[in-house]
Amino acid sequence: MGENVPLLELRNLNLIYPGGYHAIHDVSYEIGPGLLVGLIGPNGCGKTTMMRCINKTRGVSSGDILIDGESILNKSSKEIAKKIANVPAEFHMGFRLTVLETVMMGRYPYVKNMWWESANDETLVDDALKKFGIYDIRDREFNILSSGEQQRVLIAKAYVQQPRLMLIDEPTSHLDMKYKLDVMEYLTAMVRKDMTILVAEHDLSLMARYCDRCIIMKKGGIIATGKPKEVITAELIQDVYGVSASVGFDDDDELYILPKRYRLKKPRV
């Protein structure tokens, strides 16, 4: 791969559903390696849909998606899984798999034998279980875990795919404050010079603190990209969310956002 080739590039991406709804509208951007990138926008703006286009679980109407300068649109799901790992917002396990078995599923793009994993696969999975603090619960059934534990298992599963790009959709949506910070610390530690993480998240203060770059979406399009402290402003929040907010910096120079509640009409009694 060339030095100046972006890890991920979207070129004029469009997705138009039958009936004419334009879900993704002429989206173009580039992301380099070694970054934690926040994908921000209100519900229904196209964040999840765009991620599904990138991992090819959703088709596109026009445009192109490139990883390391190569289009993925004609690649097989197994080829894509070696480049892109996906952690969905909701994951329902249909089988009674243990934590160990769930994480081992992340090695499926590389397994040559139908039934047996290699010693290398076992080593990678074992290391991931320890790295994400789930080694001691490796024999527990995935479906009975807490939300925080399940999130770490799914991230570990994606990690052992050894992807170039990891897509994570709303990783902290069901977590309390401590686990929100835990997950973001894990993601920050996972970013490597040869891997980037694109994370969709509603907590703007969390994104501002941890992300290297933010991509702001509205109505299926991109309206701003850049460093969080430069692009997340009171004016942008008003434009994107229709909410008045105070945006400032604390004593550690961390950006914070405080939404203001206001009513246009008197509530009914």
Side-chain angles (χ1 to χ4, degrees):
M1 72 197 76
E3 251 181 59
N4 298 318
V5 175
L7 189 154
L8 170 68
E9 182 180 2
L10 272 61
R11 295 180 181 171
N12 305 113
L13 196 70
N14 285 275
L15 173 59
I16 304 171
Y17 288 111
Y21 176 63
H22 210 151
I24 302 296
H25 193 281
D26 203 31
V27 167
S28 296
Y29 61 83
E30 298 178 357
I31 299 176
L35 299 173
L36 180 58
V37 180
L39 187 58
I40 293 171
N43 289 334
C45 72
K47 300 188 300 296
T48 299
T49 301
M50 188 174 69
M51 283 186 161
R52 288 174 178 166
C53 291
I54 294 171
N55 66 28
K56 266 195 77 178
T57 57
R58 174 80 67 189
V60 302
S61 302
S62 64
D64 205 354
I65 301 165
L66 298 91
I67 299 288
D68 295 328
E70 290 186 12
S71 175
I72 65 167
L73 295 187
N74 294 317
K75 292 188 180 296
S76 69
S77 58
K78 198 164 187 178
E79 287 177 300
I80 290 171
K82 291 180 180 179
K83 295 280 189 178
I84 303 171
N86 185 52
V87 180
E90 300 287 343
F91 186 82
H92 303 287
M93 184 72 73
F95 303 98
R96 298 181 62 180
L97 296 183
T98 66
V99 168
L100 174 61
E101 291 166 336
T102 303
V103 176
M104 186 63 78
M105 286 172 60
R107 293 301 298 162
Y108 88 91
Y110 305 95
V111 173
K112 294 176 183 175
N113 186 299
M114 189 172 181
W115 301 108
W116 302 104
E117 298 84 17
S118 69
N120 181 57
D121 295 327
E122 292 176 352
T123 298
L124 285 170
V125 168
D126 199 52
D127 289 345
L129 292 171
K130 293 172 182 174
K131 180 182 181 71
F132 293 99
I134 51 177
Y135 185 81
D136 290 341
I137 60 170
R138 63 191 181 279
D139 296 322
R140 201 177 298 174
E141 188 179 324
F142 175 85
N143 287 331
I144 67 171
L145 300 179
S146 69
S147 296
E149 289 169 333
Q150 286 188 349
Q151 193 61 253
R152 280 184 286 162
V153 172
L154 294 177
I155 293 172
K157 173 180 171 290
Y159 183 77
V160 300
Q161 280 181 236
Q162 298 181 305
R164 295 278 288 137
L165 175 68
M166 191 179 294
L167 306 174
I168 306 182
D169 195 7
E170 298 186 30
T172 70
S173 58
H174 302 299
L175 306 182
D176 63 28
M177 192 179 297
K178 176 184 180 300
Y179 281 116
K180 280 178 186 279
L181 294 174
D182 276 354
V183 166
M184 294 309 300
E185 292 288 348
Y186 278 124
L187 298 186
T188 302
M190 282 167 59
V191 171
R192 305 187 305 262
K193 64 180 181 180
D194 63 341
M195 183 181 79
T196 277
I197 296 175
L198 179 61
V199 54
E201 177 59 61
H202 286 295
D203 191 324
L204 298 186
S205 294
L206 210 59
M207 292 292 92
R209 175 178 177 182
Y210 284 99
C211 289
D212 302 300
R213 182 180 172 192
C214 283
I215 298 171
I216 317 296
M217 292 191 71
K218 178 183 177 183
K219 294 181 179 177
I222 305 295
I223 66 165
T225 64
K227 295 180 180 179
K229 291 179 182 179
E230 296 172 0
V231 298
I232 298 177
T233 63
E235 292 76 19
L236 179 131
I237 292 169
Q238 177 69 59
D239 178 31
V240 173
Y241 293 93
V243 171
S244 176
S246 294
V247 178
F249 294 88
D250 64 17
D251 293 340
D252 297 318
D253 199 35
E254 298 287 357
L255 186 144
Y256 64 84
I257 298 100
L258 296 176
K260 297 177 182 177
R261 293 189 65 187
Y262 65 98
R263 296 183 177 91
L264 298 179
K265 309 192 227 183
K266 261 179 135 185
R268 292 182 182 176
V269 181

